[in-house]
Amino acid sequence: MSIRSSPLKQIARHNQLLRFSSNGQPLERSQVPFTLTVNGVNFTSSTVVVWNGTDLTTTQVSSTELQAQIPASLIAVPNTVTVSVTPAETINYVATFTITPTPLAGNTVTAVDIQANDMVWDPVSQQIYLSVSSSNGANGDTITALNPSTGQLGISQNAGGEPDMLALASDGSYLYAGINGSASVQRFTLPGLGMDINIPLGASSIFGPYYAMDVEAAPGSPHTIAVVRGNTGVYPVEQCGVVIYDDAVARPTSVPRYPNGPIDSIQWNGNATQIYGENNEDSGFDFYVMSVNSSGVQITNDYRGVFNMFNAKLHYDATTGYVYNDGGQAVNPATGTVVGAFPTNTIQGGFVSGGVMVPDGTLNIAYFLGKPFGNNTSGEYLLEAFNLTNFTFIDAVPIPNVVGFPLKLIRWGTNGLAFLTGSDTGSPLPGTGVYIISGTFVTNP
């Protein structure tokens, strides 16, 4: 990462004379954070250096010199920043710095030109499976395999009209796909993507066919899935609730449309005895705990106002036993309380319109991807890494030339991440839609 300053300049500010300086040389990542020296006159112990509106930790060396600590989070992405001091005087002069990060050695980003509605990683076949949108053209309306190590597309199977949400059986034997065109869930055998059973989702007498708003396979039970059934074009979208299917047979007890709010995103716990759900559709921001038995599923606890971000998805990590969402919160499902929050606003005030995340309990890292505030570079996104258990910021790296808005982030292999993009309305954008990241930043940021 490098920092280049504008030519050293003297800045007259009423009764102060300021001179900003840096070494002007490329800074290796091991050299940050660094110390910025500000020279001038009439500095006091209350004078503070300001970086793009952020007060820095400042030390008064003398009445003519200040030293300010520049944390790594302020120079992690390309940006143009202004530096001044406060208290401000009548005339507000500043110095300008340009931040130009250099690529990290040993890391690659590969763009794959395919439009996908969802994706899952299969550690058995070492493939990412994509539900390819009807707008993609040649591979539209298919389930298609992607080898993330090579970036090459593999076997492809026609899936019917608009395949959407995907779920992978825990043993890698089946892939489940919500098929919007037939209002059903189609099961495929792996690794050959053979057509297996079809699970009709039924219909509402008022609002018409149910669609799979979310599909999650039960851990340890390849033949069992939980489906969030819902109708489109009505509000709340989820007009039904959660149903558990064993093969194509629905268990009799299900969660109907819940009166306190919709159920949008779900996750199983580690032993398939509970399902966790969230309402990311209205300001109730419910967190649901549902018990599961051979008869079906029912809500046991509804914790209101837990989350704070619309359209955020749930994630569960069996190592910590906590539930996470894209908004950066971690919840203990035993109590329904927020046990921590990742400071995704560490860099430039956070993400524009939220971001996406994935936890990895084995590496003890939480990864977040989004577009930071203050960065006007088109297509420039930011990948952040946090300690999963104490929620502290570890590091960040820019991801350039991204088309669209990230919709999902997954881990693959020993050192890989992948994400897919779409428009802000959920329909895929033309151009590149799947991005594969691999390298040392994933395993040791």
Side-chain angles (χ1 to χ4, degrees):
M1 184 170 293
S2 63
I3 290 184
R4 299 194 303 271
S5 68
S6 55
L8 298 182
K9 60 182 74 175
Q10 291 185 344
I11 300 177
R13 180 189 293 221
H14 206 39
N15 65 339
Q16 296 179 340
L17 183 65
L18 311 181
R19 183 185 294 271
F20 299 84
S21 64
S22 72
N23 61 16
Q25 300 299 315
L27 293 174
E28 300 296 333
R29 295 185 69 82
S30 59
Q31 292 178 281
V32 295
F34 70 96
T35 299
L36 180 71
T37 299
V38 180
N39 299 113
V41 295
N42 297 331
F43 294 145
T44 69
S45 59
S46 62
T47 307
V48 176
V49 178
V50 181
W51 179 286
N52 251 19
T54 299
D55 291 353
L56 301 176
T57 301
T58 304
T59 301
Q60 182 197 14
V61 178
S62 67
S63 62
T64 61
E65 181 178 325
L66 301 173
Q67 289 187 349
Q69 301 305 309
I70 312 298
S73 61
L74 293 182
I75 55 175
V77 295
N79 202 11
T80 299
V81 299
T82 57
V83 179
S84 60
V85 297
T86 187
E89 299 294 340
T90 304
I91 304 174
N92 187 18
Y93 290 102
V94 298
T96 300
F97 288 80
T98 300
I99 300 171
T100 307
T102 56
L104 291 179
N107 294 269
T108 62
V109 180
T110 302
V112 182
D113 188 12
I114 190 169
Q115 295 300 315
N117 293 323
D118 198 9
M119 63 179 177
V120 293
W121 161 248
D122 177 18
V124 176
S125 65
Q126 298 287 294
Q127 301 286 303
I128 292 175
Y129 291 102
L130 307 170
S131 56
V132 183
S133 168
S134 58
S135 64
N136 191 73
N139 284 341
D141 288 335
T142 67
I143 303 298
T144 298
L146 168 65
N147 185 334
S149 298
T150 64
Q152 299 299 309
L153 298 176
I155 188 172
S156 186
Q157 172 67 263
N158 186 278
E162 206 62 48
D164 197 354
M165 305 303 296
L166 298 177
L168 183 77
S170 57
D171 64 355
S173 58
Y174 298 118
L175 178 72
Y176 295 87
I179 309 298
N180 293 344
S182 59
S184 66
V185 173
Q186 177 65 51
R187 190 168 78 186
F188 300 85
T189 58
L190 296 179
L193 287 176
M195 298 286 284
D196 196 43
I197 64 171
N198 184 269
I199 307 171
L201 298 181
S204 163
S205 60
I206 300 175
F207 300 111
Y210 291 129
Y211 300 93
M213 303 300 179
D214 200 359
V215 182
E216 297 294 333
S221 301
H223 293 260
T224 300
I225 59 171
V227 181
V228 176
R229 300 191 312 179
N231 302 109
T232 60
V234 292
Y235 180 84
V237 171
E238 282 66 58
Q239 291 293 322
C240 183
V242 180
V243 182
I244 295 178
Y245 293 88
D246 300 301
D247 294 322
V249 179
R251 296 186 187 180
T253 303
S254 64
V255 176
R257 178 187 176 189
Y258 194 58
N260 285 1
I263 301 173
D264 297 276
S265 176
I266 58 172
Q267 289 281 291
W268 290 86
N269 72 344
N271 58 14
T273 59
Q274 290 183 323
I275 293 175
Y276 308 125
E278 70 165 339
N279 164 16
N280 61 33
E281 204 172 321
D282 64 38
S283 57
F285 290 123
D286 304 75
F287 173 61
Y288 307 103
V289 177
M290 293 168 266
S291 63
V292 178
N293 56 34
S294 58
S295 297
V297 58
Q298 59 183 347
I299 292 178
T300 54
N301 292 100
D302 175 5
Y303 301 100
R304 302 277 284 172
V306 173
F307 299 115
N308 58 9
M309 179 177 164
F310 293 107
N311 299 318
K313 298 295 186 181
L314 281 190
H315 310 272
Y316 174 76
D317 184 79
T319 305
T320 63
Y322 292 155
V323 178
Y324 305 86
N325 86 330
D326 291 335
Q329 295 158 301
V331 175
N332 183 349
T335 60
T337 57
V338 176
V339 295
F342 298 96
T344 56
N345 61 350
T346 298
I347 297 179
Q348 298 183 15
F351 294 138
V352 179
S353 301
V356 290
M357 72 89 67
V358 63
D360 187 327
T362 303
L363 295 176
N364 196 38
I365 299 173
Y367 306 91
F368 286 80
L369 178 75
K371 188 174 183 63
F373 281 104
N375 180 7
N376 296 321
T377 304
S378 178
E380 189 81 52
Y381 282 78
L382 185 68
L383 177 64
E384 298 181 342
F386 296 85
N387 184 292
L388 186 62
T389 51
N390 63 25
F391 309 103
T392 55
F393 174 76
I394 301 174
D395 204 352
V397 63
I399 306 296
N401 304 318
V402 176
V403 178
F405 294 84
L407 300 178
K408 186 173 184 177
L409 177 68
I410 64 172
R411 275 278 289 115
W412 64 268
T414 58
N415 67 344
L417 293 164
F419 65 94
L420 61 85
T421 63
S423 74
D424 56 355
T425 60
S427 57
L429 287 171
T432 302
V434 177
Y435 298 80
I436 303 168
I437 305 167
S438 63
T440 55
F441 181 86
V442 178
T443 55
N444 188 28

